Amino acid sequence: MSTYRLDRSFEWNFRNGPDYHRRFPSLPVTSKKEFLGIPTNSRVGLAASVLVNDRWVETYSRLGYDLLTYKTVRLTERRCHSFPNWVFVKGDVSEASLEKSTALLKRRRDHTDPLELTGAGSFGMPSKSPDFWIEDIAKSRKNLLKNQILIVSVVATPRPGMSGQSVIDEYGTLAAMVVGAGAQVVEANLSCPNVTTGEGELYLDTTMVGLIAKTLRERAGGVPVTLKLGYVADDKLLASILQSANGFGDAIVLMNGVNSRVINQKGRPVFGPGRETCGVTGAGIHKLAAGFVRRAIRIIERDRLEIKIIANGGVNSPESAATFFDSGAYAVTIASGAIFDPHLGIKIKNKHPEW
């Protein structure tokens, strides 16, 4: 029962979704916890994915997700890539499959549960203009249930001739704007696997990570700050990234979907020319994400860093969420798993109310 209609465009889903037409279930009763100093019912939530407007936020709020990340916003409007935006692919993702010379193959249609599959999305990080999202964030915050937290993801939009300092300043401007609109936590999206411009790989520049984190801390008005990264294979680079964010960011979100080439049965890019690579998510990235989280936590413990890990990637069951929590993750967020099973958050909280 997918809440997002894969056979419809992003714009259709924005206007008409979510596709959830049933009575909301009873929510588990859990002991009160805290998330970065803010009271919450649990540390289980939804990553920046389908919470594109207040209707989507309200639906997932009533479905018991307590950390709700409003989809990434920009200072300027950006349209979604053309339809189609999603396919399922064969196999799991490993470090070997991320090599530039390899490609994932589109999966033929079958009746396999989508929760068990690997997906590939090509959306391009769309955003409405501030005229829309400032008011909409305020509505979203107002509609949350008690002890739920609204996180808002932000990203700078590179333009020709734009300096690094201008990119940093734009993150700061966005942070102040979303906090003013009602965000309780600001997430800087430093990684997007389905854009072809510079904002998609900022997380690999340790200097920029540190400067953006510092600026967010200064401009966010005292609310917590998190940074979302893509996959980093090298431990030395990962340590440098974590060290540069330490002292400014409260938490690191690991990880965004992974960037990969995806082809059809004829060997052509499945989303067409100019969209040869896209973001791979779903069950097939969970093993890679779990290893990434363990590596990051080892570095944090070794270097005595004061930063937490919010784990994300391929969560499709209470057991896969447990993989992250058992590794020492502070919180867990879900993306496509919550789209294909909107009750997944309730299932996790029923089995593990201590989270």
Side-chain angles (χ1 to χ4, degrees):
M1 58 173 170
S2 173
T3 56
Y4 185 96
R5 289 283 301 272
L6 299 179
D7 61 340
R8 297 287 188 271
S9 68
F10 175 85
E11 289 76 17
W12 187 95
N13 280 279
F14 185 96
R15 292 191 306 270
N16 297 283
D19 191 16
Y20 187 89
H21 308 289
R22 59 177 65 192
R23 180 179 297 176
F24 287 103
S26 299
L27 301 182
V29 177
T30 59
S31 60
K32 189 170 73 173
K33 303 165 184 70
E34 60 83 26
F35 176 77
L36 303 178
I38 307 170
T40 186
N41 303 307
S42 76
R43 293 181 185 153
V44 176
L46 201 66
S49 53
V50 292
L51 300 187
V52 295
N53 58 42
D54 68 299
R55 293 192 311 277
W56 283 87
V57 173
E58 183 177 11
T59 296
Y60 276 93
S61 164
R62 297 180 68 183
L63 288 167
Y65 294 85
D66 295 309
L67 314 176
L68 295 138
T69 311
Y70 194 97
K71 188 169 175 64
T72 310
V73 297
R74 300 175 181 267
L75 274 184
T76 55
E77 185 166 0
R78 172 75 66 88
R79 291 186 61 82
C80 183
H81 289 333
S82 60
F83 182 83
N85 304 105
W86 184 274
V87 297
F88 291 105
V89 298
K90 292 185 176 181
D92 293 346
V93 177
S94 64
E95 284 196 7
S97 69
L98 298 180
E99 295 294 328
K100 299 289 186 183
S101 59
T102 65
L104 296 172
L105 182 65
K106 178 184 176 183
R107 186 184 183 99
R108 294 182 184 276
R109 291 185 179 180
D110 58 29
H111 298 292
T112 305
D113 184 348
L115 275 176
E116 304 299 325
L117 298 179
T118 305
S122 177
F123 293 89
M125 211 165 19
S127 172
K128 294 292 186 181
S129 71
D131 288 342
F132 171 84
W133 56 251
I134 288 174
E135 182 178 352
D136 197 65
I137 288 170
K139 289 181 185 176
S140 298
R141 170 74 182 275
K142 185 177 180 180
N143 288 332
L144 296 188
L145 300 180
K146 185 178 181 181
N147 293 328
Q148 292 183 331
I149 297 172
L150 184 65
I151 305 165
V152 179
S153 175
V154 302
V155 69
T157 304
R159 297 175 290 280
M162 191 176 186
S163 68
Q165 186 59 51
S166 295
V167 171
I168 295 163
D169 292 341
E170 191 161 304
Y171 271 101
T173 298
L174 284 161
M177 291 173 70
V178 299
V179 169
Q184 294 163 277
V185 178
V186 178
E187 175 189 282
N189 189 355
L190 305 182
S191 159
C192 182
N194 57 75
V195 297
T196 56
T197 43
E199 71 269 37
E201 294 188 342
L202 276 172
Y203 71 99
L204 296 174
D205 186 327
T206 57
T207 300
M208 286 293 284
V209 169
L211 291 172
I212 290 170
K214 182 176 184 292
T215 299
L216 289 173
R217 172 63 70 211
E218 293 169 350
R219 299 294 307 278
V223 311
V225 168
T226 68
L227 308 167
K228 190 171 189 178
L229 311 185
Y231 184 71
V232 181
D234 180 70
D235 275 356
K236 185 175 180 181
L237 176 58
L238 177 58
S240 295
I241 294 168
L242 294 173
Q243 289 160 3
S244 68
N246 189 54
F248 303 115
D250 295 280
I252 301 291
V253 183
L254 301 181
M255 60 182 194
N256 213 327
V258 296
N259 184 273
S260 179
R261 292 173 56 234
V262 176
I263 58 175
N264 59 24
Q265 305 296 327
K266 297 181 179 180
R268 297 171 183 163
V270 72
F271 293 112
R275 293 163 66 187
E276 287 79 7
T277 63
C278 53
V280 179
T281 63
I285 73 167
H286 182 65
K287 186 175 180 180
L288 189 72
F292 190 21
V293 166
R294 286 193 295 270
R295 289 166 47 220
I297 290 173
R298 282 199 297 268
I299 291 169
I300 289 170
E301 292 174 345
R302 181 196 71 193
D303 296 347
R304 299 181 180 180
L305 305 179
E306 295 182 357
I307 201 161
K308 302 180 187 302
I309 295 297
I310 300 168
N312 181 75
V315 173
N316 62 359
S317 66
E319 291 72 27
S320 54
T323 300
F324 286 139
F325 278 116
D326 291 347
S327 296
Y330 177 68
V332 168
T333 56
I334 309 164
S336 61
I339 296 171
F340 300 126
D341 181 3
H343 297 157
L344 181 54
I346 291 173
K347 293 174 183 177
I348 293 171
K349 290 164 66 174
N350 273 329
K351 191 159 187 179
H352 292 282
E354 71 275 16
W355 295 339

